[in-house]
Amino acid sequence: MQHATITLSNFGAIAGIFATPVVTPPQVAIVGAGRIIEKVIMRDGQACGVKALPLSITFDHRACTGGEAARFVKVLVEHLQQG
């Protein structure tokens, strides 16, 4: 792989949930997808089980701020929820 800016890592395929990916230049960020887990959430005052995809992100502060990274993750989550 050459000249990557954002890399996707699927460590969930080997049973991982969260990770701390390491950014190596020229990458700006790595988004890691963990194993889908079952979570309990409250919906309308009732506990119910949902499936959740844990995401981990590491980014280079020289290329973007924490706010920019958070907005990127928010949009990514919104797109994943539509699917």
Side-chain angles (χ1 to χ4, degrees), residues 57-70:
I57 184 169
T58 301
F59 61 95
D60 187 338
H61 278 279
R62 294 172 296 180
C64 63
T65 67
E68 290 166 329

Side-chain angles (χ1 to χ4, degrees), residues 23-48:
V23 174
T24 56
Q27 295 172 321
V28 172
I30 301 176
V31 176
R35 169 176 58 88
I36 293 176
I37 58 173
E38 186 93 14
K39 278 178 66 166
V40 176
I41 65 165
M42 297 299 290
R43 184 176 288 154
D44 299 324
Q46 299 290 326
C48 63

